[in-house]
Amino acid sequence: MTLASNLRSSRGTCFTSEPAGAIRAIDKHSVHQICSGQVVLTLATAVKELVENSIDAGATNIDVKLKESGAEQVEVADNGKGVEEANFEGLTLKHHTSKLRDFSDLIHVETFGFRGEALSSLCALSDLSVITCHESSQVGTKLVFDHKGHLVQKTPHPRQQGTTVSLQQLFSTLPVRHKEFQRNIKKEYAKMIHVLQSYCIISTGVRITCSNQNGQGKRSTVLSTSGSQSMRDNIGAIFGPKQLQSLLPFQQVSPTENVIEEYGLKDADLPKQLFSITGFVSQGDHGVGRSTTDRQFYFINNRPCDPLKVTKLVNEVYHMYNRHQYPFVALNIAVASECVDVNVTPDKRQIFLQEEKLLLAILKTSLIAMYEGGVNKISLNYTPPPSTSKNTPLHNKAEREEDTEPVILSPKSSLNLAGLKAAFSSHYSSSSGKSSKEKASGSGTTQKTLQSFFKDPVKTSSCNSSLKSPLKYTRQLDKCSSAGKSVLDGFRYQAITSVNNETFKETSGNSHAVPEDPELETEACTPYEDSAVSPEAKRARKDDAHFPSEEESSTFSNAGEKQSSTVDAPVSLQRRTVHLQFSLAELGKKMRRLQDQQKQRAGEELLYRRFRAKINPGENHSAEEELKKEISKEMFKEMEIIGQFNLGFIITKLKSDLFMIDQHATDEKYNFEMLQQHTILQGQKLIVPQKLHLTAVSENVLIENIEIFRNNGFEFLIDEDAQVMERVKLVSLPTSKNWTFGPSDIEELIFMLSDSPGVMCRPSRVRQMFASRACRKSVMIGTALNVNEMKKLVVHMGEIEHPWNCPHGRPTMRHLANLDVISQD
């Protein structure tokens, strides 16, 4: 028997007479189900499609009603033109539309919908019914459709002009998606509200209302607009009058030459007045922005969209003036329809634009001009010094000399103040082993020395004349302060080696260093040039007690040039030439031997090395991922304490791996998580309840998660029967020593709970407070620990959720080495 016949006999009917790889057409019903699942992905998409249909029908009043946040029913009613009886059959059929006839019409389409997919897809995903009354009809009609989009029932139904579309059990035909939809209904609901807000903002002259009913409770209004002709009024209706107070109208200006050059554009080829941008953005003052990007809305030709590059640019410019917040944004970009491609994604949120770089240039220039025009400008009240004249009194000259004294510390000067401070601190710490008498006398001498070095105006002015030459500056440094020279000599070596350890090498019998490259010496070590001078030159300096006076400063340059060849010349290194024997055959053998060794080591690394990340700030993420993968919570109890290193790090061993644990960072993270979990902040009562003017969505999130707000120290007075935006009043605020909290923390907490309803979370400022407390109560670097104390800190790491870095971002643990690999090497 052949192999094929054996397979047929063993597997029964699994094989057919047709070839295994035969290509056949998918049946229409399966195609309909597959494609419908790609068109309508979320609750937000379903509501968006129905609202767009209502706006395209010319409605001026749209009412969105939900049951159980949309899990049970979604209903959208409008007062548009209605559906003619002749269009009943094709209303929910795939790719049936009245918006266009052929592909060329797509360029000039101005309606939201044009594909004829929305109602057809909703039929496939839910139980859809329509009640409609056309403007030419006397009575309405109720239409019921099956999952294929076919009309199965048509009955008269009383209704005024317009259309009502009802969806029952959305996604019920897709079991996996339906279960996920029911489980994440709060997130789906919040996303739907955000999408609906964008249509409320841009749809001027249209009154849009959304309400929700949970169980048998009262139907609550979520958002509502008044049908105003102004975008500003719509923003106020949705987000309240408080939001309007912090907005600036967008003022468009032409891009500047610098911005045009930045985006690689040519001014001569740019189309004029291609884009027209209108809308509003937040002021640049701190406190008026948002902690998140939850109120940013962009429109192209009145169509809500998600232009990623535009969003990124607006936030980057805003962060130039308000680093820690995000702006409220509502911008409508008008452009010729032939320059836009909206047929990119099923939800039409991604849009392609011609001349997108020009749009970015206009936005950047306009936003900078708005904020520079007085929104966030700071006056330094700087008055330039008066010009020098012959009649200037002597005391004015002295004042000017004092004013110009800091020139020696400017970036243009060759004195590196940061390096000087670092070197001084290094020198000071290295001398910690001195006796108390030496420390007492040394501190006073050091203070006087630094004061004389930096603050003597007469000597400083004599130094300024020769700052251009590093070699001259060294000699002037010796002249300016002999005491300063003695201090600087003590820590020049530390400052030099901190610049580049690989470039310098120590000279035998001397604490100074000689650079290999004279040019590098002049560049990197200018303030400490004396460390590169030969011993003979130093002795010559000590023997020569005469230094040029101030009157000789004009001839100092020539004198410096003459002396530089004999006094300040760097040490020349003598190189020895060695003849080497060379053989290509021998080189090939060595290369092959080296490759074999590398392959062997690579195999050993694959066998032993589970931790490949180095202790380097650039590899922190990789190191954390390796630790998460290889170290479980139970392993911390099994770790053996080796000892304490440098009074700051615990060395532990787990099997053949050595780890280094930061004693302060790990204790801080443990204390932080304990505070997060167990602290209940106490609130302080307000004299008068404070109105918060929250949106209807925010009010609902707050009411549903009231216990989490109480654990964070907030107390509210809730009136279910009050108007929207006035149902919640603040009666108690959390306070803790010097930390105070307010409405901005409430809004941040609401945003966090919108994404994770019911999950205990803290506002960022509360986390900062806990982090500060945890840091202060933790074991400090420099504290000696015994074995039991070190073991306690290590075991604590296994009791917290995220033990890999402290609240301030410092790593808690890193892999040092694998003993098996070391023993083989």
Side-chain angles (χ1 to χ4, degrees):
M1 295 176 66
T2 63
L3 178 61
S5 60
N6 284 331
L7 289 173
R8 288 192 190 98
S9 61
S10 61
R11 298 189 180 183
T13 59
C14 290
F15 279 80
T16 62
S17 58
E18 296 183 9
I23 298 177
R24 302 186 302 274
I26 304 175
D27 64 276
K28 292 183 179 180
H29 179 63
S30 299
V31 171
H32 183 48
Q33 284 186 307
I34 293 171
C35 295
S36 298
Q38 292 179 319
V39 174
V40 179
L41 303 174
T42 61
L43 173 66
T45 309
V47 174
K48 158 192 166 303
E49 296 291 351
L50 297 180
V51 171
E52 286 182 347
N53 284 346
S54 297
I55 296 174
D56 288 342
T60 58
N61 193 350
I62 302 174
D63 191 11
V64 181
K65 295 182 179 180
L66 307 175
K67 283 187 178 180
E68 302 295 342
S69 302
E72 294 294 328
Q73 181 180 347
V74 177
E75 181 181 288
V76 178
D78 64 60
N79 63 345
K81 298 177 182 178
V83 183
E84 291 184 271
E85 186 173 356
N87 293 327
F88 287 171
E89 294 287 344
L91 182 62
T92 57
L93 293 180
K94 201 75 170 178
H95 305 304
H96 282 56
T97 181
S98 61
K99 312 297 174 54
L100 50 84
R101 287 290 171 262
D102 53 38
F103 184 76
S104 61
D105 295 340
L106 186 61
I107 299 176
H108 303 289
V109 69
E110 295 181 357
T111 56
F112 286 112
F114 50 81
R115 296 195 190 113
E117 290 181 323
L119 290 178
S120 175
S121 298
L122 291 172
C123 281
L125 300 175
S126 64
D127 299 326
L128 185 144
S129 62
V130 176
I131 301 174
T132 184
C133 179
H134 190 258
E135 56 186 354
S136 61
S137 303
Q138 299 295 325
V139 65
T141 306
K142 181 176 181 179
L143 309 174
V144 179
F145 299 88
D146 62 10
H147 292 311
K148 297 179 182 180
H150 298 152
L151 180 62
V152 295
Q153 184 180 349
K154 182 176 68 172
T155 56
H157 195 282
R159 198 204 191 283
Q160 294 181 348
Q161 177 183 327
T163 303
T164 301
V165 181
S166 178
L167 308 177
Q168 303 280 345
Q169 297 293 325
L170 187 61
F171 301 121
S172 58
T173 58
L174 303 176
V176 176
R177 191 182 298 186
H178 184 251
K179 186 176 181 180
E180 189 74 8
F181 172 66
Q182 296 278 354
R183 187 169 66 88
N184 297 317
I185 187 61
K186 295 296 182 184
K187 289 184 180 179
E188 294 279 343
Y189 176 71
K191 292 178 181 177
M192 183 274 298
I193 293 298
H194 184 266
V195 171
L196 192 58
Q197 285 172 347
S198 63
Y199 287 91
C200 290
I201 291 173
I202 197 64
S203 300
T204 55
V206 181
R207 181 180 179 273
I208 300 178
T209 305
C210 179
S211 59
N212 180 47
Q213 181 182 13
N214 289 324
Q216 299 299 321
K218 181 182 177 182
R219 178 169 294 277
S220 59
T221 301
V222 179
L223 58 84
S224 177
T225 61
S226 59
S228 171
Q229 297 292 332
S230 166
M231 180 190 290
R232 180 183 176 87
D233 292 342
N234 288 344
I235 293 173
I238 300 169
F239 301 112
K242 184 179 178 181
Q243 181 67 78
L244 293 177
Q245 296 172 4
S246 63
L247 296 186
L248 292 172
F250 185 85
Q251 299 175 1
Q252 181 176 345
V253 298
S254 300
T256 60
E257 294 182 0
N258 292 337
V259 177
I260 290 175
E261 184 177 352
E262 177 185 346
Y263 285 97
L265 302 172
K266 295 181 180 179
D267 195 9
D269 300 335
L270 295 180
K272 304 300 181 183
Q273 298 180 347
L274 178 62
F275 298 102
S276 175
I277 308 172
T278 57
F280 299 90
V281 294
S282 292
Q283 297 174 0
D285 300 329
H286 182 74
V288 300
R290 306 280 301 167
S291 58
T292 60
T293 58
D294 61 329
R295 293 187 184 178
Q296 296 189 356
F297 305 94
Y298 297 92
F299 311 91
I300 295 182
N301 292 339
N302 295 330
R303 181 187 297 276
C305 60
D306 300 319
L308 299 181
K309 293 181 180 179
V310 171
T311 303
K312 181 181 178 182
L313 172 69
V314 172
N315 288 323
E316 285 178 351
V317 173
Y318 189 77
H319 284 162
M320 294 166 56
Y321 304 91
N322 187 348
R323 272 185 56 198
H324 303 291
Q325 291 185 303
Y326 295 91
F328 175 98
V329 183
L331 293 179
N332 182 35
I333 303 165
V335 61
S337 59
E338 57 267 19
C339 298
V340 183
D341 184 1
V342 298
N343 189 32
V344 179
T345 56
D347 60 359
K348 308 181 188 76
R349 299 285 296 189
Q350 300 297 324
I351 294 179
F352 288 161
L353 277 173
Q354 287 185 6
E355 303 293 346
E356 186 178 36
K357 289 184 177 180
L358 174 59
L359 172 62
L360 298 177
I362 294 173
L363 279 171
K364 184 170 185 177
T365 305
S366 301
L367 289 171
I368 291 176
M370 288 169 58
Y371 292 132
E372 291 290 345
V375 178
N376 212 36
K377 186 176 290 186
I378 299 175
S379 175
L380 298 178
N381 295 324
Y382 173 72
T383 304
S387 59
T388 306
S389 68
K390 296 181 180 180
N391 298 327
T392 305
L394 183 60
H395 66 275
N396 288 345
K397 292 185 178 180
E399 289 176 0
R400 284 203 308 277
E401 286 179 357
E402 291 180 2
D403 291 340
T404 58
E405 178 186 347
V407 171
I408 193 171
L409 304 180
S410 67
K412 297 180 180 179
S413 168
S414 53
L415 176 61
N416 186 343
L417 184 58
L420 188 62
K421 288 182 178 178
F424 178 73
S425 61
S426 174
H427 169 72
Y428 188 80
S429 61
S430 66
S431 62
S432 59
K434 293 182 180 180
S435 64
S436 60
K437 291 182 180 180
E438 291 174 349
K439 290 181 181 179
S441 61
S443 62
T445 305
T446 302
Q447 184 177 2
K448 292 177 181 178
T449 300
L450 289 178
Q451 288 176 354
S452 64
F453 179 73
F454 286 106
K455 295 189 175 180
D456 190 343
V458 176
K459 295 176 182 178
T460 301
S461 62
S462 65
C463 290
N464 288 343
S465 60
S466 58
L467 283 177
K468 295 182 180 179
S469 172
L471 296 177
K472 296 173 189 173
Y473 176 78
T474 305
R475 196 174 295 108
Q476 289 283 58
L477 187 63
D478 294 341
K479 172 190 170 184
C480 286
S481 174
S482 58
K485 177 178 181 297
S486 64
V487 173
L488 290 176
D489 284 340
F491 55 78
R492 272 196 189 111
Y493 178 69
Q494 289 92 334
I496 293 172
T497 53
S498 67
V499 175
N500 191 339
N501 290 329
E502 297 181 358
T503 308
F504 297 90
K505 52 187 180 182
E506 293 187 32
T507 57
S508 59
N510 192 355
S511 63
H512 301 300
V514 179
E516 294 182 356
D517 188 351
E519 294 181 1
L520 185 60
E521 170 194 359
T522 305
E523 252 181 67
C525 306
T526 303
Y528 315 104
E529 200 72 48
D530 195 39
S531 61
V533 178
S534 63
E536 291 79 10
K538 292 180 181 178
R539 285 196 294 272
R541 270 192 192 174
K542 291 178 181 178
D543 295 337
D544 186 9
H546 172 70
F547 293 97
S549 62
E550 292 185 14
E551 289 79 5
E552 297 171 8
S553 60
S554 60
T555 60
F556 187 76
S557 176
N558 294 333
E561 292 174 0
K562 293 178 181 179
Q563 294 178 13
S564 62
S565 61
T566 59
V567 178
D568 291 331
V571 175
S572 60
L573 301 178
Q574 300 295 331
R575 291 183 173 83
R576 188 162 55 95
T577 304
V578 178
H579 295 282
L580 298 176
Q581 294 182 355
F582 178 75
S583 170
L584 283 174
E586 190 66 25
L587 180 62
K589 290 180 182 179
K590 290 183 178 180
M591 290 294 295
R592 284 191 293 274
R593 228 176 8 250
L594 182 61
Q595 290 174 355
D596 292 340
Q597 291 176 358
Q598 290 176 346
K599 289 180 181 179
Q600 183 179 358
R601 287 190 177 183
E604 293 172 354
E605 288 181 353
L606 288 174
L607 182 62
Y608 294 109
R609 289 188 61 188
R610 297 174 298 164
F611 303 95
R612 299 178 178 274
K614 299 178 182 178
I615 301 179
N616 187 313
E619 299 190 27
N620 280 346
H621 179 72
S622 301
E624 288 178 18
E625 291 300 319
E626 290 175 352
L627 290 170
K628 289 178 184 177
K629 180 180 178 182
E630 300 293 341
I631 304 296
S632 63
K633 291 185 177 182
E634 294 75 17
M635 291 181 179
F636 288 103
K637 295 181 181 180
E638 303 172 5
M639 288 185 176
E640 176 186 353
I641 304 297
I642 303 298
Q644 187 182 26
F645 169 69
N646 206 26
L647 293 181
F649 302 93
I650 303 170
I651 308 300
T652 65
K653 178 185 174 186
L654 180 65
K655 297 181 180 178
S656 59
D657 289 302
L658 289 180
F659 297 92
M660 179 170 64
I661 298 175
D662 186 324
Q663 65 187 37
H664 175 74
T666 187
D667 195 27
E668 181 182 339
K669 187 56 182 286
Y670 175 79
N671 292 329
F672 174 75
E673 291 206 8
M674 292 301 104
L675 289 172
Q676 284 270 87
Q677 294 174 13
H678 304 297
T679 302
I680 298 178
L681 296 177
Q682 300 299 318
Q684 181 176 357
K685 296 287 185 180
L686 302 179
I687 298 175
V688 178
Q690 180 180 353
K691 293 182 179 180
L692 296 177
H693 300 291
L694 298 175
T695 63
V697 181
S698 299
E699 286 180 341
N700 291 337
V701 172
L702 188 150
I703 293 170
E704 293 170 359
N705 299 275
I706 192 68
E707 285 301 321
I708 295 176
F709 282 91
R710 286 174 180 163
N711 288 337
N712 281 288
F714 295 99
E715 292 285 346
F716 302 96
L717 180 64
I718 298 174
D719 184 4
E720 295 280 358
D721 297 327
Q723 295 181 355
V724 177
M725 297 187 185
E726 295 182 2
R727 291 185 295 174
V728 178
K729 294 180 181 179
L730 179 66
V731 297
S732 178
L733 275 174
T735 58
S736 180
K737 296 183 180 179
N738 295 329
W739 293 83
T740 58
F741 304 92
S744 61
D745 301 293
I746 297 174
E747 291 182 356
E748 182 183 0
L749 201 53
I750 289 173
F751 178 79
M752 297 167 67
L753 290 170
S754 299
D755 280 345
S756 303
V759 178
M760 180 60 194
C761 51
R762 305 280 191 180
S764 58
R765 294 186 69 250
V766 175
R767 290 173 57 87
Q768 291 174 12
M769 181 184 70
F770 286 159
S772 178
R773 288 184 182 178
C775 182
R776 288 196 300 269
K777 68 182 292 188
S778 300
V779 176
M780 293 299 175
I781 296 293
T783 304
L785 303 175
N786 59 39
V787 175
N788 291 333
E789 291 171 334
M790 288 187 279
K791 183 67 176 178
K792 180 181 178 181
L793 294 180
V794 174
V795 171
H796 278 172
M797 294 186 70
E799 300 174 2
I800 56 181
E801 291 298 323
H802 306 287
W804 311 119
N805 49 48
C806 78
H808 297 108
R810 192 160 121 188
T812 57
M813 174 179 173
R814 285 294 179 265
H815 180 263
L816 279 180
N818 185 287
L819 298 179
D820 293 337
V821 175
I822 294 175
S823 61
Q824 289 197 3
D825 290 343

